[in-house]
Amino acid sequence: MGDRDQGSFLDLAELDDEARMLRKEAHRVAVEVLRPAAWELDRMAPAERIAPGSPFFTAMDTLKSLGYHRMFLPPEAGGPAERLPALTQSVVLEELGWGSLGLATAFLVDMLPVMCISNFGSQELKDDLMVPWVADESGAYHGCWAVTEPDHGSDFIAVRDDDPARYGPAQLVAEPADGGWILRGQKSAWVSSGPIATHAAVHAQAGRDGDLFHSLFAVVELDVPGVRRGPPADMMGVRDDPQGELFFDAVFVPDRNVLVPPGPLYPVFADQLLCLTSSVISTVAVGVARAAFDEALHHARTRIQGGGLLSRHKNIQLTLYSMFERVETARAYSRAALAHTQANAPGARPEATGASPRHARTAQVYAKRAAYDVAHDALQVVGAQGLSRGALIEKLFRDARSLLIEDGTLEVLALDAARDVIDNYELDTYDLEEMMARW
Ligand SMILES: Cc1cc2nc3c(=O)[nH]c(=O)nc-3n(C[C@H](O)[C@H](O)[C@H](O)COP(=O)(O)OP(=O)(O)OC[C@H]3O[C@@H](n4cnc5c(N)ncnc54)[C@H](O)[C@@H]3O)c2cc1C
C-alpha cells in the first residue's frame, strides 16, 4: 500500500516524516486488522463478541503488541521519549477511526484510566497499576470509562454539579469508609468495553443520605467482590465495541485509587477531561467521515448509469464536493482543537490556564455532524447496494448515526458550548460614535 496522501492541503503543508510514517502504519493496521475484525464483530451476537478468541480481542491485542497504547502517553507515563505532537496524534487517531469506530472507541477508553493515573495518581498507584498496564503487550489490562447511569445520560454534560435540584438522585454513590470508599449502585448499559474491561474509570457521587453532590473520580478494579456486569448490549451501531452495565454491590475502593476526591477540583477536572475526550472523539469522527467519503468516491468512479460513470453527473459531483468539504473542514478544526486542548490543559506548560470547552465541544459537534452527513450522502451515492448488509457504507451509516449520541448527544454538547460562549467569549467592544467622530 502506498503512502497515498488523503488529498488534504493541510497534510501536504504540515506533516513531518514521522507523522507520515505513523499514518502509513496506522492505515495498514486499519486495513489489515481493524476493518476485518470490525466487519466480523458487526455480524456476531453480543455474547459471541466477548467470548474468548473473539476478533475484538485479536484487534485489541494487536494494537497492544504494536505499542499503540503507549504512543499517546507523555514520557513520564511510559510514552515515547518525546511526546508525540498533537498533529501526529490526530493523524493516527483519524486512521483508527477510519478502520473502525467501535475498535477506536475501545482503544480510547482503554487509555483513559492510564492517562488519568499519570496525571492524578499517587506514585504507589503508578508503580502498581500504571507501569504494568503500560508495559503490557498481551491485553491483560483493559480500561473503560463509567460515567452515565440509567437515569443520567446527558446529565453528566448538561447538569454536572451546577444544579443538584435538576440532577435528581445519583445511581452510583460512594460512601466514605475506613481507608477508602464503598461504591453502591450501577452505571448505564452503554459503558463502552464495560463487559470485558479489567478496570473502570468511575465517576460517583460521594456522601451519605442527602448530601450527594460532591463527585469523585476513581479507578476501580473490576475483578473484586461485589462487581457484576450486565449482558452486552445489542446496539444498532458501534457493534464492534461491546457496551454493558456495571453493578457495584458494596465495592470497596481504597483511597489510593481515588484520583480526584470530592471537592473543588472535581468540577474543574470533569470539565477538562471532557475537553480532552471531545477533541479526541472529533478526530476519530473525521476518520469515520473519510471512510464514508472513500466509499462514495470509489462507487462514483466505477458505477455506470445514464450512459456514463456516476462521477460524470453534476449532482454526484456536487455531492462529492460537499462531502470532501466537510471532511476537510472537520479535520482542520479537530486538529486545531486537539492541539489547543493539549497545549492549554492545566500543567501542560506553566502559563496554561485550562483547555477551552467551547472549542473542544464545537470540534466534537462539527466532526460528528460531518461524519453523519457524509455517511448519509455516501449512502445516497451508492444507492440500493449501500443498503445491503454486505456493503461497508451500511455499517458506516449505522456507526455515524450512533456517533450523534455516543459521548454526548449533539444537542447537549452544543448547549454546553453555547453556555461557555455566552459566559466567556471575549467581545471586542468599541464605541462606534467615538470611532466615527475620529474618522
Ligand atoms: C455507542 C455508545 C457508546 C457509549 N459509551 C459510553 C461509555 O463508554 N461510558 C458511559 O458512561 N456512557 C457511554 N455511552 C452513553 C452516552 O454517553 C449517552 O448515551 C449519552 O450521553 C446520551 O445519554 P442518553 O442516551 O441517556 O440520552 P438522554 O440523556 O436521555 O437524552 C435523550 C434526548 O434528550 C436530549 N436531552 C437530554 N438532556 C437534555 C438537556 N438537559 N437539555 C436539552 N436536551 C436534552 C438529548 O439531546 C437527546 O436528544 C455510550 C453511548 C453510545 C451510544
Side-chain angles (χ1 to χ4, degrees):
M1 188 177 319
D3 181 15
R4 81 192 169 99
D5 196 271
Q6 307 304 336
S8 161
F9 171 78
L10 292 174
D11 281 2
L12 290 175
E14 292 178 9
L15 292 195
D16 62 15
D17 288 348
E18 185 188 37
R20 284 172 189 273
M21 187 269 290
L22 289 174
R23 179 173 72 185
K24 185 176 172 186
E25 175 56 16
H27 190 69
R28 184 192 67 76
V29 171
V31 169
E32 294 178 7
V33 181
L34 302 187
R35 278 261 170 106
W39 190 251
E40 273 190 53
L41 287 162
D42 189 54
R43 280 151 179 71
M44 292 167 75
E48 288 173 342
R49 288 181 229 141
I50 59 167
S54 146
F56 177 83
F57 297 111
T58 311
M60 288 295 111
D61 294 356
T62 304
L63 290 178
K64 287 252 154 132
S65 69
L66 295 171
Y68 274 81
H69 61 308
R70 286 190 283 269
M71 197 181 283
F72 298 87
L73 295 174
E76 61 276 15
E82 267 192 47
R83 186 150 200 199
L84 218 56
L87 174 60
T88 314
Q89 294 183 31
S90 299
V91 164
V92 174
L93 289 169
E94 181 181 325
E95 294 309 320
L96 301 186
W98 183 93
S100 155
L101 173 61
L103 293 169
T105 303
F107 169 73
L108 293 173
V109 295
D110 175 44
M111 289 202 313
L112 191 134
V114 175
M115 291 266 195
C116 293
I117 295 172
S118 88
N119 280 321
F120 299 98
S122 64
Q123 193 55 49
E124 188 194 355
L125 191 62
K126 287 178 184 168
D127 293 343
D128 291 354
L129 186 54
M130 186 185 80
V131 170
W133 191 321
V134 172
D136 173 49
E137 296 194 345
S138 66
Y141 295 81
H142 197 98
C144 67
W145 187 27
V147 193
T148 55
E149 297 169 1
D151 293 345
H152 300 293
S154 301
D155 285 353
F156 180 71
I157 296 169
V159 182
R160 291 211 284 284
D161 275 1
D162 60 5
D163 190 351
R166 281 193 295 148
Y167 197 92
Q171 287 164 298
L172 182 64
V173 172
E175 286 175 16
D178 201 15
W181 299 80
I182 305 278
L183 291 184
R184 292 182 209 279
Q186 74 167 100
K187 287 296 180 181
S188 79
W190 326 123
V191 175
S192 297
S193 302
I196 56 89
T198 58
H199 294 76
V202 173
H203 299 256
Q205 292 209 318
R208 214 177 245 134
D209 306 325
D211 186 22
L212 286 178
F213 285 91
H214 305 288
S215 298
L216 61 73
F217 178 73
V219 173
V220 180
E221 287 178 40
L222 296 178
D223 64 352
V224 296
V227 174
R228 285 186 297 121
R229 300 170 204 254
D234 200 2
M235 309 280 276
M236 174 183 105
V238 202
R239 293 168 63 84
D240 25 17
D241 183 20
Q243 295 94 18
E245 288 155 308
L246 292 171
F247 297 91
F248 300 88
D249 303 330
V251 173
F252 179 71
V253 181
D255 277 330
R256 70 160 205 168
N257 283 39
V258 175
L259 301 181
V260 184
L265 177 61
Y266 178 83
V268 180
F269 158 77
D271 211 44
Q272 293 295 305
L273 182 62
L274 284 177
C275 287
L276 182 65
T277 55
S278 284
S279 46
V280 163
I281 288 281
S282 72
T283 63
V284 171
V286 173
V288 176
R290 198 186 94 219
F293 172 73
D294 286 359
E295 289 305 294
L297 182 60
H298 174 72
H299 188 80
R301 282 175 174 171
T302 48
R303 167 101 170 147
I304 293 176
Q305 284 296 288
L309 289 170
L310 285 185
S311 57
R312 304 278 295 276
H313 298 305
K314 291 279 179 252
N315 57 324
I316 301 290
Q317 289 173 0
L318 288 174
T319 304
L320 288 170
Y321 166 71
S322 133
M323 294 160 77
F324 174 74
E325 180 191 275
R326 278 174 280 183
V327 174
E328 293 293 301
T329 49
R331 177 187 291 132
Y333 197 83
S334 298
R335 286 181 179 179
L338 185 64
H340 188 272
T341 296
Q342 292 198 341
N344 290 286
R349 54 198 169 90
E351 64 277 22
T353 53
S356 165
R358 58 183 175 275
H359 292 104
R361 260 20 128 242
T362 302
Q364 191 181 3
V365 169
Y366 191 87
K368 283 174 159 185
R369 196 185 284 135
Y372 178 69
D373 289 348
V374 171
H376 178 273
D377 285 354
L379 191 50
Q380 198 66 13
V381 168
V382 177
Q385 284 180 35
L387 292 171
S388 125
R389 288 279 276 153
L392 180 59
I393 190 59
E394 186 266 346
K395 175 181 185 299
L396 289 169
F397 180 74
R398 286 184 282 112
D399 286 349
R401 184 62 187 84
S402 308
L403 257 183
L404 305 188
I405 296 170
E406 174 179 356
D407 205 44
T409 67
L410 275 203
E411 304 79 15
V412 165
L413 291 165
L415 284 170
D416 201 44
R419 185 165 55 173
D420 185 28
V421 170
I422 291 162
D423 291 350
N424 300 316
Y425 185 96
E426 286 179 21
L427 276 176
D428 180 14
T429 51
Y430 64 95
D431 187 329
L432 181 61
E433 278 185 25
E434 188 199 357
M435 194 191 75
M436 294 313 292
R438 284 197 279 118
W439 180 245

